[in-house]
Amino acid sequence: MPYPAGHRPAVKKNIIDSARKLFNRHGFESVSLHQIMAGAGLTHGGFYSYFKSKSDLYAEVLGCFFTDPQWKSCWEGVHVDLSSTDVGSQVVRAYLSRQHFEDVENSCPMVALPTDVARSGVSARRAFETVFKAMVSVLERSLTQNGRRRGTTAQAIAALSIGGMVVARTMVDRALADELRAACMAVALDLGGWDKKGKSKNGKSKQSPRLPAAASRNRSAVLTV
């Protein structure tokens, strides 16, 4: 009996989703094809009818909501509207949110896999570069005019957002990790000219995070979008 229409793309997507979660959690080298296929509810033998190699799969895992409209573009309570005029600030807040910090398995691959990519072949690095360029393009669309080159500013914001989350995830001290995310978010929003949006009548910002005071290091600051 033949499979229904759409079966093959659905199975391939399940394999990619399984691999993304496992790679994000354990790293590329530590995950076997058997684990990936088991996570997708499939047997090991069916892998090569969808991908040439583990590296071939890896390049597809590096896709993100900037390049794949079918990718889950939000973490719980976090939404990014790529058609919005203020998409830049949405991306920064999403990337450096508490939800993204805690949801390791569903991380954007640019946050979870950069060291693996650096050690990988050209195809994986090119896939990473494609996603990064797409992120920069999205950020650049909603930048305010501030005298700086828009492309340069967007690249800096993207690197600050991605790198800030990477470093925050290495911290043992959760309060320090939260402070670092808040600091990166504040600077990124300022670079984009988005920190002035959403101010109330008394001039205080409704949206932009405030940098935690030094005294707050011993208590956990929670950021949400």
Side-chain angles (χ1 to χ4, degrees):
M1 182 176 178
Y3 288 115
H7 171 78
R8 186 174 177 82
V11 170
K12 184 175 182 179
K13 182 180 183 301
N14 286 341
I15 297 172
I16 292 171
D17 288 345
S18 173
R20 177 183 289 113
K21 291 179 180 179
L22 289 167
F23 289 161
N24 283 356
R25 176 65 67 178
H26 304 292
F28 176 74
E29 297 295 343
S30 301
V31 176
S32 69
L33 293 182
H34 176 77
Q35 290 173 306
I36 292 169
M37 296 300 282
L42 302 165
T43 60
H44 182 187
F47 176 83
Y48 291 102
S49 65
Y50 292 92
F51 302 96
K52 295 179 181 178
S53 65
K54 186 179 174 184
S55 295
D56 182 38
L57 167 62
Y58 190 42
E60 297 216 28
V61 166
L62 285 168
C64 191
F65 63 88
F66 297 111
T67 56
D68 180 4
Q70 301 303 316
W71 196 77
K72 275 185 181 176
S73 61
C74 64
W75 300 277
E76 185 178 357
V78 178
H79 301 277
V80 176
D81 180 2
L82 293 179
S83 65
S84 173
T85 56
D86 69 340
V87 64
S89 62
Q90 291 183 40
V91 167
V92 169
R93 294 176 191 282
Y95 247 79
L96 292 163
S97 67
R98 169 184 57 79
Q99 292 92 326
H100 189 195
F101 178 84
E102 294 175 347
D103 193 358
V104 175
E105 287 187 351
N106 292 308
S107 291
C108 172
M110 290 194 294
V111 168
L113 302 173
T115 54
D116 282 336
V117 172
R119 294 193 297 265
S120 298
V122 173
S123 61
R125 288 161 61 193
R126 186 171 288 123
F128 186 98
E129 184 178 293
T130 297
V131 179
F132 181 79
K133 286 180 176 178
M135 180 180 183
V136 169
S137 178
V138 169
L139 292 169
E140 190 174 354
R141 285 208 313 263
S142 59
L143 283 176
T144 60
Q145 294 291 345
N146 58 10
R148 303 188 188 101
R149 290 180 57 189
R150 296 169 71 89
T152 300
T153 302
Q155 287 178 343
I157 294 171
L160 184 60
S161 300
I162 298 166
M165 185 60 78
V166 171
V167 176
R169 287 240 181 105
T170 69
M171 300 296 171
V172 175
D173 184 342
R174 175 57 187 265
L176 179 58
D178 288 340
E179 183 176 349
L180 175 62
R181 289 190 297 110
C184 290
M185 189 185 297
V187 173
L189 291 172
D190 180 64
L191 281 173
W194 303 312
D195 59 330
K196 299 177 180 63
K197 292 184 178 181
K199 285 191 175 180
S200 62
K201 292 180 180 179
N202 62 9
K204 293 183 179 180
S205 174
K206 296 178 182 177
Q207 298 179 357
S208 298
R210 297 178 64 186
L211 294 178
S216 69
R217 287 178 181 272
N218 294 325
R219 60 184 174 84
S220 177
V222 178
L223 290 176
T224 57
V225 172

